[in-house]
Amino acid sequence: MKAKRNTWGVLKKVFGRSRKSEIFEEDVEAAYYGNEQSPRVEHLVERFFQKKGSVLDVGCGSGREAFWLAGRGFTVDGIDVSSGMIAAAEKRRKREKIAGARFAVEDMVRFSSKKKYDYVMALFNVLTFPETEKDRKKALRNMAKALKPGGVLVLDLANKWGNARIVMKQLVFKLLFLLAGKWTKFGDVYSNPTLAESREVTFQHYFSKGEMRRYLAEIPGISYEVEFFDLYRNRRHKNHLLVVVRKRK
């Protein structure tokens, strides 16, 4: 029954009148992402966060990485478009009396902050969710603008052409959108990738190395590196892109 419900949700996403992204069922997502430990942030700190400082966590979810960083002396502001995720993060922050972490409901496409940060991070394919190129570029520019001079922005993303499974999924959904009379660039439509209880559907646009470089080349005042690297396993891998942006002093 759950599988049928998820399949129907995906088909409605493709053939329905609107392609506006919906948020995952927040209670399910918060419970999952709030409890599973990820080594990404540990590897991130080892490689790029050379000293304690301020961090902006874009797409922070229920705060797992933010709390890990706060516990190690960083001050963290977490933002996420999901009010449910932020509510879960705030609940844990108050329950455990965690200092050094704050959270707010913000859309990365519209986010603007007068505060500048030593570090900005956007993990777990966060930049793949805005549905238009214009919005993806704006979100990336907003992240870069939030850096202090000398600050570092790190993103980890799936490589669009990294493996056959991702390529085939993009081709299948491209065909479905064309059959539905809609135009979309390559991407992936799915219900919750981890838990069947989620009925909501979202859209992702995967990046190639060249496309990401093209985005970054339009942002003034930065230097950048884009490499094939799996931050989760801390090693080079063609399935993943690691993007490192540095704000010039």
Side-chain angles (χ1 to χ4, degrees), residues 153-213:
L153 160 65
V154 180
L155 305 94
D156 80 313
L157 301 159
N159 176 17
K160 177 182 287 189
W161 309 119
N163 63 57
R165 180 182 63 84
I166 286 180
V167 171
M168 288 305 299
K169 286 174 74 177
Q170 292 175 99
L171 288 171
V172 167
F173 284 109
K174 176 75 170 182
L175 177 60
L176 286 175
F177 274 118
L178 290 174
L179 290 173
K182 298 178 180 180
W183 170 256
T184 180
K185 293 186 177 181
F186 285 106
D188 184 11
V189 182
Y190 61 82
S191 53
N192 184 326
T194 54
L195 295 171
E197 288 87 341
S198 180
R199 291 164 293 177
E200 304 299 341
V201 177
T202 189
F203 180 87
Q204 278 186 290
H205 172 87
Y206 295 129
F207 287 89
S208 66
K209 198 173 186 179
E211 183 181 19
M212 177 51 63
R213 284 175 170 165

Side-chain angles (χ1 to χ4, degrees), residues 41-158:
V41 69
E42 298 176 50
H43 298 152
L44 182 72
V45 169
E46 289 171 5
R47 287 173 60 89
F48 304 110
F49 291 11
Q50 301 302 319
K51 60 180 181 179
K52 298 295 189 293
S54 56
V55 182
L56 175 64
D57 184 2
V58 180
C60 66
S62 52
R64 179 184 59 188
E65 279 67 40
F67 291 129
W68 190 93
L69 288 166
R72 285 154 182 82
F74 294 88
T75 58
V76 189
D77 289 342
I79 63 170
D80 200 288
V81 71
S82 166
S83 59
M85 288 292 216
I86 295 300
E90 278 293 295
K91 183 177 180 181
R92 178 180 172 186
R93 183 185 66 81
K94 292 175 181 178
R95 181 180 69 247
E96 299 180 15
K97 298 181 173 61
I98 298 173
R102 300 185 305 173
F103 301 95
V105 178
E106 295 279 1
D107 184 341
M108 61 182 162
V109 176
R110 297 167 181 82
F111 174 73
S112 178
S113 174
K114 293 181 180 179
K115 182 178 178 179
K116 303 301 179 184
Y117 298 85
D118 296 299
Y119 309 106
V120 177
M121 64 183 197
L123 306 181
F124 309 104
N125 284 312
V126 163
L127 193 60
T128 66
F129 291 108
E131 292 193 30
T132 68
E133 181 175 292
K134 179 180 178 181
D135 282 351
R136 289 189 291 274
K137 286 182 176 180
K138 189 173 181 182
L140 184 60
R141 187 179 291 266
N142 290 343
M143 294 179 204
K145 282 183 177 179
L147 288 171
K148 293 179 180 178
V152 179
L153 160 65
V154 180
L155 305 94
D156 80 313
L157 301 159

Side-chain angles (χ1 to χ4, degrees), residues 24-32 84-85:
F24 289 150
E25 281 191 7
E26 292 150 344
D27 55 343
V28 176
E29 290 295 307
Y32 179 81
M85 288 292 216

